[in-house]
Amino acid sequence: MARMNPENDFSGWLPIRAWRRDGEWRLDWCWFGETRLTRPFFRDDVDQALRLPFNQAFRRETDIQALLDWQGESPGVAPGAFIFHASRCGSTLMAQMLAGLARNIVLSEPPPLDNLLRAHFLDPYAARLQSGWIEALLSAYGQRRCGTEEQLLIKLDAWNVFEAPLLAGLFPDTPRIFLYRDPLEIVVSQLRQPGMQRVPGMLGPSALDELVPGGLAMSPLEYSCRMIGAILQGGLELCQRHGGVPVNYSELPGAVWGRLAPLLGAESADEARLHEIAAFDAKQPAMAFQADGQRKRDAATDELREAIVRWAAEPYQLLERLRLDGADKAVVRKFTHT
């Protein structure tokens, strides 16, 4: 297969890793051919692809210039929507529903995008070049590998909400959604099963370092509440200043075929399929979905409730006010008419 592609042709290949070596940013590519991205997370699709004998025998590693050249040779489908979220609030469900429609390319937290969005924290020189890199990376992901793809939908990592202004500036006509839920429920989930952002230092340099300084000296409960509060505040600023649409977990799954349908390109003919996917657990598709919000609230201690009030309640309540006031309707109309 490698002989079919000249050196500068990446048809059927996708970037799976971005990293810096000796001051230069580089990429690993993996052969996907016409295989769609349908698993809960991009890394799951990568793990599956890397099991192919071809990918075990052939690897491609390039500099960033190869990515830029590929964009010039073959511009992909432009991003159709960015899905930001506060974690543990239905974003994987939304991504799985949208991935169930063959016309969609759905990226679910691809590590190379996170790496390049946060490149300036590791490498100040990257700040001048990041915009071009990110446009080229999304162009590579937006390639029509099956021939039926019509739009590229991107679910980001929770901490990428702080890079939302950069993406909004690069793609001003692309809708931006911010998913969130009661911070009490998010923190209970994070304390039970920590994400990378919940453990100070594990994520690597990010905006959280400045917004929640001194995390190593805090208890897991305090750091979790302050971290979720900072992400909710980032989501609030996205909605207030950069045309983001606030969406509460409680609106799912109906909002995907309801008020968000114009933003996500969902059509009335898709509703039955979307219902079908939403009946199953997004992260464990073999299991039926079960709402767990009440169980999480029942598990919260008085200490946790007090910490939520101190660190996370205000941005949540302001997001709810924004959503319930319908202030986002004008934003929805704007992107619908784009």
Side-chain angles (χ1 to χ4, degrees), residues 36-39 93-104 253 256-257 266-280 285:
R36 296 186 63 241
L37 306 176
T38 58
R39 290 172 174 76
L93 169 64
M94 180 179 286
Q96 282 284 277
M97 293 168 71
L98 297 169
L101 305 178
R103 64 177 180 277
N104 292 334
V256 175
W257 57 77
E267 301 172 358
S268 56
D270 301 324
E271 189 169 334
R273 175 64 177 147
L274 295 172
H275 269 285
E276 180 184 348
I277 298 170
F280 294 91

Side-chain angles (χ1 to χ4, degrees), residues 197-317:
Q197 72 277 31
R198 218 283 277 137
V199 182
M202 181 175 286
L203 181 61
S206 78
L208 285 170
D209 299 337
E210 298 177 1
L211 296 169
V212 192
L216 289 172
M218 298 178 194
S219 69
L221 187 150
E222 179 181 347
Y223 184 76
S224 299
C225 293
R226 293 184 64 170
M227 179 269 294
I228 293 300
I231 290 176
L232 290 173
Q233 181 64 36
L236 178 64
E237 292 175 11
L238 166 63
C239 296
Q240 289 178 326
R241 302 177 186 173
H242 304 288
V245 176
V247 181
N248 193 306
Y249 171 79
S250 63
E251 296 183 82
L252 297 180
V256 175
W257 57 77
R259 75 178 180 109
L260 301 179
L263 304 182
L264 299 172
E267 301 172 358
S268 56
D270 301 324
E271 189 169 334
R273 175 64 177 147
L274 295 172
H275 269 285
E276 180 184 348
I277 298 170
F280 294 91
D281 188 296
K283 295 178 180 175
Q284 302 179 70
M287 300 177 64
F289 170 76
Q290 291 185 324
D292 61 357
Q294 187 59 51
R295 289 201 302 275
K296 286 186 168 72
R297 290 192 295 278
D298 290 344
T301 63
D302 289 342
E303 182 186 15
L304 173 55
R305 294 178 189 280
E306 291 169 4
I308 288 290
V309 169
R310 181 174 185 184
W311 299 113
E314 183 175 351
Y316 172 70
Q317 290 165 357

